Amino acid sequence: MKSSTCIGISSMKPCCRFLVSYRSSSIFGFSPPKMSRSGIRNLSKSLSKAVDRRRLHSCKHSKSQIVGYKCVADPNRRAFSVSGSSWGQSRVFSDSFRVDKGRSRGVLVIPRVASDFRNHSTSVEHHVNEKNFERIYIQGGLNVKPLVIERIETGDGLVKEDNTGINVSESDVNTNNVEGSNLTEPRIEREVSEIEKEAWNILRGAVVSYCGNPVGTVAANDPADKQPLNYDQIFIRDFIPSALAFLLNGEAEIVKNFLLHTLQLQSWEKTVDCYSPGQGLMPASFKVRTVPRDGSPEAFEEVLDPDFGESAIGRVAPVDSGLWWIILLRAYGKITGDYSLQDRVDVQTGIRLILNLCLTDGFDMFPSLLVTDGSCMIDRRMGIHGHPLEIQALFYSALRCSREMLTVNDATKNLVAAINNRLSALSFHIREYYWVDIKKINEIYRYNTEEYSTDAINKFNIYPDQIPSWLVDWIPDEGGYFIGNLQPAHMDFRFFTLGNLWVIVSSLGTPKQNKDVLDLIEAKWDDLVANMPLKIIYPALESDEWRIITGSDPKNTPWSYHNGGSWPTLLWQFTLACIKMGKPELAQRAVALAEERLAVNQWPEYYDTRSGRFIGKQSRLYQTWTVAGFLASKMLLQNPEKASLLFWEEDYELLETCVCGLSKNGRRKCSRLGPRS
């Protein structure tokens, strides 16, 4: 037995193969830990079983350095494999490799230590050289016998879930891995409406398979669309609501496959004008392509083709993809109870690479991330370059996720310290300088300018004339919100919905600020919700402002698309925020509005006009994240205890050690009760 065969742990099926994507790939560059004789015997038995199963699939491994995944495909298979509704009839929960019933998981392969931030799971402590391991991923380990749970739809509109698909004895499942998992919970029948049934059929019809395994959902799946453009790709940000819908419905396999496949695509060395993306960058999207194999015109292989922005509008690399990936990774563990995925060496390395990219020192003096226009959900020129709220809220969420999931050891202790420092500084910065309410606006209205001292009140030299006329009459007496952007001599006072919702979800704002944001949405319901939830930005850019800031963008005309359009996919994030703040009735009101129109209008991507009455003029129909956002909202409202797994409460321990201001005496701590006036 070669020593290299016991390096990694994976439950992915063997027909897929991983090819190393880096120029300097000394295949793994470290030796596996020593095993006892009994451990070798047990491992040999497991390997022989895995080899027997692998004989059912043939996949020719290449020795050349080629980027991405490839898999030999049957010549009769379609290039773009989209499964039908029958795909959701079974759900596979794969346990990690079990060496012995009496042993903890994977002890013969990788030693593990307890994490300081998660009481109910363990983490990986990899015994490798840090420098050599920075550019290594591990894939294709040992298979396990899956537990399949069948999903049965009855004629009376009820969904029953049973475990009669495959009989698995107690010895076949490592209970250490599934402790606290949904697998041990009794299944509860729930009523499903006709609209939800239609939504599930659309969602499952959008599923894309790679080497026979579901790996994601296309952005839109309109059969009448003759020019899908890039809507036939799997976008990381678009798949998040789909992933949550599947997870909340007990279907975890597709989410696990998505997380692992996108991880292997991380930092692929494509270039734009001879520049490579930074190491750790996640692609914006990827597509499954079928290409002929070299030297065999009748044989084909499937390839994952990622897009890092070189094909996007404006050729902008996605900043939010890696942040969303980390957030989804935590959600997977929280909902399924399976933390073995987080503990994998390759996953731990992926988290570190993303964080190293985000925490790299530069010229910027702010704790917030400096990004260009078009680097997030608003992927066109909309004047959000600088430090947009959406990125800061997702960044804060990803940092909190990483603090929970990272293994704490000598290799990561400096990174964990950097995370804690950035969390405290970012929390203070957003709460102090991004927050506006009637009191704060009146304070800005009376600002002095050209203040040069460290004690200056107007630290960013904001000119009072920047306060827009619409804001003076629009801001309510009760409530407030976080502005869209802050830069020297510039405050973007537009209301950005996604950023404000994630401030609530992640507790980036204080409890009072979070409450005030929802109070403002309720008070300005006709402006921010109206006929279809929710406005992505309020208000829209019009006239000269639209021409100057957007460059006369014909798609972002006033009250359309990103410029004040209404996006139903924001519904699940609004629901999550409402449940956290104890206002589920607001979410129910919004879901009821969407339920009246979405199915009738064929699930469009966005709506136009100030009140959201018209389907977007360039809106794709059967938009997947519209469907998934609706389903996730319904399930979150029906199971609010699941919602509590997806948001964060105020971290008072973090605030106790928060260093966030300068005074004559040096550093000082901020108040946990709220931002300084």
Side-chain angles (χ1 to χ4, degrees):
M1 182 180 69
K2 295 182 180 180
S3 61
S4 61
T5 60
C6 61
I7 294 175
I9 301 176
S10 175
S11 61
M12 298 182 67
K13 296 187 179 180
C15 73
C16 298
R17 84 172 181 242
F18 165 66
L19 303 179
V20 180
S21 63
Y22 295 103
R23 293 182 179 126
S24 57
S25 61
S26 59
I27 197 81
F28 304 138
F30 65 93
S31 301
K34 295 182 179 179
M35 300 182 183
S36 63
R37 292 183 179 179
S38 62
I40 293 176
R41 284 197 299 270
N42 290 330
L43 183 59
S44 299
K45 292 179 182 179
S46 300
L47 277 174
S48 63
K49 293 179 182 179
V51 170
D52 291 338
R53 284 193 297 271
R54 290 182 184 182
R55 287 173 181 171
L56 299 176
H57 307 274
S58 79
C59 185
K60 183 178 179 182
H61 292 262
S62 172
K63 296 182 180 179
S64 60
Q65 281 188 315
I66 304 175
V67 176
Y69 279 109
K70 288 189 177 181
C71 172
V72 177
D74 190 304
N76 296 322
R77 290 187 61 179
R78 292 188 302 169
F80 184 69
S81 178
V82 179
S83 67
S85 59
S86 62
W87 172 82
Q89 296 303 314
S90 65
R91 296 189 293 279
V92 179
F93 292 82
S94 297
D95 197 318
S96 65
F97 170 62
R98 180 180 56 82
V99 177
D100 193 298
K101 182 179 178 182
R103 294 176 181 269
S104 61
R105 61 177 188 263
V107 292
L108 291 181
V109 182
I110 302 171
R112 303 175 185 274
V113 296
S115 170
D116 291 345
F117 298 107
R118 190 174 66 237
N119 296 326
H120 46 271
S121 100
T122 56
S123 303
V124 178
E125 182 180 6
H126 49 276
H127 294 264
V128 296
N129 183 282
E130 181 68 13
K131 294 182 179 179
N132 290 338
F133 192 74
E134 279 296 318
R135 299 174 64 83
I136 294 171
Y137 293 115
I138 298 175
Q139 173 62 31
L142 305 174
N143 287 342
V144 295
K145 188 174 182 180
L147 174 64
V148 179
I149 299 178
E150 294 293 329
R151 183 177 186 277
I152 305 171
E153 291 189 14
T154 61
D156 54 359
L158 298 177
V159 173
K160 293 183 179 180
E161 293 164 345
D162 197 358
N163 61 347
T164 57
I166 295 179
N167 294 326
V168 181
S169 64
E170 182 181 356
S171 61
D172 290 325
V173 180
N174 181 358
T175 55
N176 291 336
N177 272 344
V178 296
E179 182 179 356
S181 167
N182 289 341
L183 299 179
T184 62
E185 296 179 1
R187 297 296 179 179
I188 301 175
E189 295 182 356
R190 65 182 181 86
E191 186 174 353
V192 179
S193 65
E194 291 299 323
I195 294 179
E196 287 180 81
K197 288 181 180 179
E198 177 185 343
W200 275 114
N201 288 334
I202 295 171
L203 182 59
R204 293 198 172 100
V207 170
V208 178
S209 293
Y210 171 62
C211 293
N213 302 319
V215 294
T217 52
V218 292
N221 193 25
D222 183 1
D225 189 359
K226 304 302 181 183
Q227 293 182 324
L229 300 178
N230 61 350
Y231 283 83
D232 62 351
Q233 298 185 22
I234 304 170
F235 283 82
I236 288 186
R237 77 172 67 94
D238 290 40
F239 182 69
I240 302 302
S242 297
L244 289 180
F246 286 126
L247 287 174
L248 292 169
N249 203 44
E251 304 176 36
E253 181 193 13
I254 185 174
V255 182
K256 184 174 185 178
N257 292 341
F258 172 85
L259 288 167
L260 291 174
H261 282 298
T262 49
L263 175 66
Q264 308 302 346
L265 296 175
Q266 185 182 37
S267 193
W268 199 38
E269 298 198 15
K270 267 192 174 182
T271 60
V272 179
D273 294 340
C274 302
Y275 283 89
S276 298
Q279 189 183 40
L281 181 70
M282 283 289 188
S285 63
F286 63 92
K287 187 173 183 177
V288 179
R289 300 185 187 276
T290 299
V291 298
R293 273 175 51 197
D294 295 337
S296 180
E298 296 182 355
F300 297 84
E301 56 187 3
E302 289 183 341
V303 179
L304 294 182
D305 184 15
D307 176 15
F308 288 89
E310 66 271 9
S311 300
I313 298 294
R315 304 302 189 264
V316 177
V319 177
D320 62 338
S321 290
L323 307 178
W324 279 122
W325 185 86
I326 291 177
I327 292 169
L328 179 59
L329 177 64
R330 174 188 181 266
Y332 174 87
K334 286 286 188 179
I335 295 177
T336 66
D338 175 17
Y339 292 97
S340 61
L341 183 64
Q342 298 175 8
D343 296 339
R344 287 172 49 130
V345 181
D346 52 347
V347 173
Q348 287 281 313
T349 303
I351 297 173
R352 295 206 310 273
L353 290 177
I354 294 172
L355 294 177
N356 288 337
L357 184 63
C358 294
L359 296 172
T360 301
D361 292 333
F363 291 100
D364 196 21
M365 296 292 289
F366 299 164
S368 47
L369 277 183
L370 178 63
V371 299
T372 187
D373 228 338
S375 59
C376 53
M377 179 180 176
I378 300 174
D379 57 3
R380 302 168 74 92
R381 179 179 168 187
M382 274 295 295
I384 65 168
H385 55 279
H387 305 83
L389 177 67
E390 175 180 333
I391 292 294
Q392 314 316 320
L394 293 176
F395 181 38
Y396 186 81
S397 302
L399 289 175
R400 294 199 66 172
C401 291
S402 301
R403 198 167 68 132
E404 294 179 26
M405 297 186 296
L406 273 176
T407 303
V408 181
N409 53 35
D410 290 340
T412 61
K413 61 182 181 181
N414 290 336
L415 181 60
V416 172
I419 290 172
N420 287 327
N421 290 338
R422 183 61 69 93
L423 278 170
S424 62
L426 184 61
S427 175
F428 172 82
H429 186 78
I430 299 298
R431 293 178 179 191
E432 175 76 3
Y433 302 121
Y434 276 64
W435 176 254
V436 293
D437 53 16
I438 189 65
K439 179 181 178 181
K440 183 68 174 180
I441 292 173
N442 194 51
E443 181 181 325
I444 296 172
Y445 182 75
R446 294 170 55 82
Y447 266 170
N448 294 320
T449 59
E450 315 303 328
E451 295 181 313
Y452 292 95
S453 69
T454 57
D455 296 328
I457 296 176
N458 186 4
K459 289 182 171 57
F460 302 97
N461 201 34
I462 303 299
Y463 302 112
D465 288 344
Q466 288 184 16
I467 300 175
S469 57
W470 64 265
L471 181 61
V472 176
D473 297 323
W474 188 76
I475 190 76
D477 292 334
E478 300 294 332
Y481 69 100
F482 293 89
I483 61 172
N485 211 330
L486 175 67
Q487 298 184 77
H490 173 69
M491 295 181 76
D492 187 344
F493 287 98
R494 287 176 292 175
F495 180 89
F496 287 76
T497 301
L498 180 58
N500 275 276
L501 292 180
W502 271 97
V503 164
I504 297 174
V505 171
S506 64
S507 287
L508 177 52
T510 67
K512 183 179 186 307
Q513 288 173 337
N514 296 338
K515 176 182 178 299
D516 286 350
V517 171
L518 277 189
D519 288 345
L520 179 134
I521 294 176
E522 186 174 13
K524 297 299 177 181
W525 188 269
D526 291 340
D527 292 327
L528 302 176
V529 181
N531 293 287
M532 177 56 63
L534 287 142
K535 281 274 179 280
I536 189 171
I537 293 176
Y538 184 89
L541 300 172
E542 299 181 282
S543 304
D544 290 341
E545 195 175 29
W546 165 74
R547 283 188 285 272
I548 294 170
I549 293 179
T550 73
S552 300
D553 187 347
K555 193 168 185 178
N556 274 331
T557 53
W559 305 108
S560 178
Y561 200 50
H562 295 317
N563 190 16
S566 298
W567 291 71
T569 186
L570 295 174
L571 195 59
W572 73 269
Q573 295 162 95
F574 179 61
T575 301
L576 199 57
C578 289
I579 293 174
K580 178 186 175 182
M581 300 309 298
K583 288 191 172 185
E585 66 280 359
L586 278 183
Q588 290 168 348
R589 182 180 171 190
V591 170
L593 276 175
E595 195 165 7
E596 291 178 0
R597 300 183 60 195
L598 287 179
V600 176
N601 297 332
Q602 299 178 309
W603 308 91
E605 179 183 15
Y606 63 94
Y607 285 78
D608 282 354
T609 73
R610 183 185 291 266
S611 61
R613 294 186 62 191
F614 292 173
I615 299 173
K617 58 186 176 183
Q618 296 188 40
S619 176
R620 290 304 196 275
L621 302 180
Y622 299 100
Q623 185 81 13
T624 305
W625 68 352
T626 296
V627 175
F630 169 76
L631 289 173
S633 298
K634 294 284 286 189
M635 286 187 285
L636 287 171
L637 287 171
Q638 292 164 357
N639 301 282
E641 70 281 358
K642 299 293 185 184
S644 65
L645 301 175
L646 301 174
F647 55 70
W648 296 261
E649 298 295 344
E650 180 79 294
D651 189 341
Y652 291 107
E653 181 181 353
L654 176 65
L655 294 179
E656 283 292 338
T657 60
C658 178
V659 178
C660 44
L662 285 172
S663 66
K664 293 180 180 179
N665 298 326
R667 301 285 184 179
R668 66 184 178 192
K669 298 178 181 178
C670 69
S671 169
R672 69 171 63 180
L673 301 177
R676 293 181 291 117
S677 61

